[in-house]
């Protein structure tokens, strides 16, 4: 009876009244004390409202049952496949939707529906990975800012592959509580590539010059990221794997890593290129002059003429004693920056060989030396300016003692004592004060 009456009423009622009636009926179904037959009739009406021509009615139904665990799953799924302003309500809140259903809705939904899925309080790695593959730019930004999303590393890298040139997406990923080293390197590479392309489009730089600057920026970023990792860890290994896959793991990058003191990254590079165990590689790089090191170096496919530089760098870093010949601690990498004493030691060893085949290597080392010296000069100038600023700053006033040394002159005899007020404002330069210490001495002398 209730079904027939509601349907008869809804045929002539305006959309706003139907929307209000459906919402009330849905709340009565979920939270009211209905009998079994009344509950079954109400459920039939809710199913029928999925075909209501007005989106106001369907949205009211979605808002009423979206968060309910007791809602009919078929109605939830029907609303999830509706137009985006209706489906987004259910997709963002319903606990009844499975991962498979969410992935299906993401594949056929627009950016509004995809963003609603991306902003769910808890998101499984499967759904997050599916979004990374098919979602729009706006939905991926929503996914990146959602701290409740379990976002795997490969999903982050896929997001960067698709929309790495978008600065908002990069900023959203960098704002996450933790991102792997490989993802940080991918973000840096995307930013460097975008800036290089922009400089070429504006005719500010030639393509060759722009590519060289971008390559140098990527390598600098890789060194900074490696400096934030442990000496050799899973994160360092993942960074080396990413650098190899992306084509950045060159002999020049490996040498730069050593010149920056990143022995952990160099070990991870050899492990990635040779397939040998990390302990075995770590033992070999402690003996750079040995034939075993020469064998693993050759197995990694690194250029033979550069072996003298790699050996000199390992010696300079002092893998046996922990110090360079100049006393530089090998474990004190300066945030991934090039280390001038190491470069100078390697340069001296290469020049002593007097081998013409090392001319390009020496030129590279000279460029590294100039970069390191310039960075050292910047830091020295910054420290000098800070020291000058501290010296020029006025001394900080000491805290006032509990018993002040100076008090205002007491009131004259013509004024009653009750009119004398305690001075609370600081004394001006023209105020007359009394030295209590001197006054005490005069009284004692009298």
């Amino acid at each position: 009876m209730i079904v027939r009456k509601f349907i008869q009423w809804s045929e002539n009622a305006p959309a706003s009244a139907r929307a209000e009636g459906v919402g009330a009926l849905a709340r009565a179904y979920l939270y009211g004390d209905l009998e079994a037959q009344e509950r079954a009739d109400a459920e039939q009406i809710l199913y029928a409202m999925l075909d209501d021509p007005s989106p106001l009615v369907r949205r009211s139904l979605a808002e009423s049952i979206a968060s309910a665990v007791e809602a009919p799953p078929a109605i939830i799924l029907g609303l999830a496949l509706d137009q985006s302003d209706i489906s987004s309500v259910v997709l963002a809140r319903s606990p009844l939707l499975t991962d498979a259903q969410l992935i299906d809705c993401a594949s056929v939904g627009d950016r509004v529906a995809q963003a609603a899925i991306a902003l769910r309080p808890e998101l499984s790695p499967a759904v997050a990975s599916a979004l990374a593959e098919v979602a729009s730019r706006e939905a991926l930004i929503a996914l990146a800012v959602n701290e409740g999303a379990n976002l795997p590393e490969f999903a982050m890298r896929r997001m960067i592959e698709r929309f790495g040139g978008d600065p908002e997406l990069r900023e959203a990923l960098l704002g996450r509580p933790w991102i792997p080293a490989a993802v940080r390197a991918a973000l840096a590479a995307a930013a460097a590539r975008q800036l290089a392309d922009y400089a070429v489009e504006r005719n500010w730089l030639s393509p060759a010059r722009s590519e060289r600057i971008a390559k140098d920026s990527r390598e600098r970023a890789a060194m900074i990221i490696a400096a934030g990792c442990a000496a050799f860890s899973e994160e360092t290994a993942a960074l080396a794997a990413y650098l190899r896959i992306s084509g950045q793991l060159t002999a020049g990058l490996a040498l730069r890593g050593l010149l920056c003191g990143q022995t952990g990254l160099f070990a991870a590079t050899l492990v990635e290129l040779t397939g040998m165990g990390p302990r075995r590689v770590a033992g070999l790089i402690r003996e750079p002059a040995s034939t075993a090191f020469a064998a693993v170096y050759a197995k990694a496919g690194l250029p033979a003429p550069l072996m003298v530089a790699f050996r000199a760098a390992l010696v300079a870093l002092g893998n046996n004693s922990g110090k360079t010949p100049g006393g530089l601690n090998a474990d004190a990498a300066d945030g991934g920056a090039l280390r001038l004493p190491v470069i100078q030691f390697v340069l001296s060893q290469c020049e002593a060989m007097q081998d013409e085949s090392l001319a390009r290597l020496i030129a590279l080392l000279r460029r590294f030396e100039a970069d390191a010296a310039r960075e050292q000069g910047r830091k020295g100038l910054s420290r000098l300016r800070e020291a000058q600023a501290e010296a020029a700053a006025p001394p900080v006033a000491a805290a006032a003692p509990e018993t002040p040394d100076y008090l205002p002159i007491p009131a004259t005899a013509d004024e009653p004592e009750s009119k004398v007020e305690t001075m609370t404002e600081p004394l001006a330069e023209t105020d007359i004060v009394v030295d209590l210490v001197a006054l005490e001495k005069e009284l004692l002398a009298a």
Side-chain angles (χ1 to χ4, degrees):
M1 182 64 68
I2 186 175
V3 176
R4 188 179 300 109
K5 288 183 178 181
F6 189 92
I7 292 177
Q8 290 176 354
W9 168 80
S10 64
E11 288 179 353
N12 299 319
S16 59
R18 295 201 310 273
E20 185 177 352
V22 167
L25 181 62
R27 290 188 293 272
Y29 173 84
L30 294 172
Y31 312 113
D33 189 10
L34 301 179
E35 295 182 358
Q37 185 59 43
E38 292 177 335
R39 187 176 182 84
D41 292 344
E43 187 172 339
Q44 290 183 29
I45 296 173
L46 296 179
Y47 276 114
M49 289 300 103
L50 290 176
D51 296 326
D52 192 283
S54 174
L56 290 176
V57 177
R58 304 197 303 275
R59 183 174 176 86
S60 176
L61 176 59
E63 292 175 344
S64 300
I65 68 173
S67 303
V69 180
E70 299 82 6
I75 296 180
I76 291 292
L77 183 58
L79 293 170
L81 295 174
D82 208 323
Q83 62 189 52
S84 60
D85 63 331
I86 298 169
S87 64
S88 59
V89 178
V90 176
L91 292 172
R93 292 157 49 186
S94 178
L96 300 179
L97 293 172
T98 64
D99 285 353
Q101 291 171 336
L102 290 172
I103 292 173
D104 182 61
C105 292
S107 63
V108 299
D110 59 8
R111 60 184 182 181
V112 177
Q114 292 170 346
I117 298 173
L119 290 173
R120 286 174 68 91
E122 294 181 1
L123 208 61
S124 68
V127 180
S129 301
L131 287 172
E133 191 66 36
V134 302
S136 64
R137 164 190 169 275
E138 293 81 3
L140 292 185
I141 293 175
L143 177 63
V145 300
N146 183 8
E147 296 184 3
N150 191 340
L151 196 55
E153 176 183 334
F154 70 88
M156 295 185 193
R157 287 166 56 181
R158 180 56 179 157
M159 293 165 65
I160 298 170
E161 289 176 5
R162 295 182 60 208
F163 297 102
D166 188 270
E168 292 184 5
L169 177 64
R170 296 199 302 267
E171 183 179 0
L173 284 172
L174 287 172
R176 292 185 66 82
W178 177 82
I179 54 175
V183 176
R184 295 199 297 272
L187 288 170
R193 182 169 54 252
Q194 183 186 20
L195 291 174
D197 294 342
Y198 184 76
V200 173
E201 291 175 1
R202 293 283 181 170
N203 292 324
W204 292 343
L205 296 172
S206 65
R209 174 74 172 171
S210 176
E211 178 58 30
R212 179 170 179 176
I213 293 176
K215 178 176 178 293
D216 188 65
S217 299
R218 290 193 299 266
E219 291 183 354
R220 286 171 182 256
M223 295 303 106
I224 294 173
I225 294 168
C229 304
F232 184 86
S233 60
E234 294 183 0
E235 194 171 12
T236 314
L239 176 60
Y242 162 76
L243 294 173
R244 182 182 65 82
I245 294 173
S246 61
Q248 300 180 51
L249 193 58
T250 61
L253 180 66
L255 179 59
R256 182 169 190 149
L258 283 181
L259 297 178
C260 293
Q262 304 300 327
T263 54
L265 180 60
F266 179 65
T269 299
L270 293 181
V271 170
E272 181 67 24
L273 295 178
T274 63
M276 299 176 62
R279 291 188 178 180
R280 176 62 175 162
V281 170
L284 292 175
I285 63 176
R286 292 192 184 97
E287 300 292 339
S290 64
T291 56
F293 174 79
V296 71
Y297 181 91
K299 187 176 181 179
L302 296 174
L306 300 185
M307 186 186 296
V308 58
F310 282 94
R311 279 177 163 170
L314 289 171
V315 172
L317 291 172
N319 285 310
N320 292 324
S321 62
K323 294 184 178 180
T324 66
L328 182 63
N329 192 337
D331 296 328
D334 188 12
L338 289 165
R339 301 165 69 172
L340 188 58
V342 178
I343 297 173
Q344 291 174 341
F345 180 79
V346 175
L347 188 58
S348 65
Q349 296 297 309
C350 293
E351 289 178 340
M353 299 288 294
Q354 295 183 353
D355 188 349
E356 294 183 358
S357 63
L358 299 179
R360 295 185 62 183
L361 172 60
I362 293 175
L364 178 64
L365 291 173
R366 287 294 184 191
R367 184 162 65 87
F368 285 161
E369 182 185 30
D371 292 343
R374 179 181 298 178
E375 184 64 25
Q376 193 176 63
R378 291 195 192 105
K379 292 180 179 179
L381 182 60
S382 177
R383 287 192 296 267
L384 180 61
R385 287 175 176 172
E386 290 177 0
Q388 289 178 345
E390 291 178 359
V396 180
E402 296 181 0
T403 304
D405 291 337
Y406 300 98
L407 291 176
I409 294 179
T412 60
D414 296 335
E415 297 180 357
E417 186 176 356
S418 59
K419 291 185 179 180
V420 178
E421 297 180 356
T422 304
M423 178 177 289
T424 57
E425 297 296 329
L427 296 174
E429 294 180 357
T430 56
D431 290 337
I432 302 175
V433 295
V434 175
D435 189 345
L436 296 180
V437 177
L439 180 60
E440 182 181 4
K441 291 180 180 181
E442 292 180 5
L443 292 175
L444 292 176

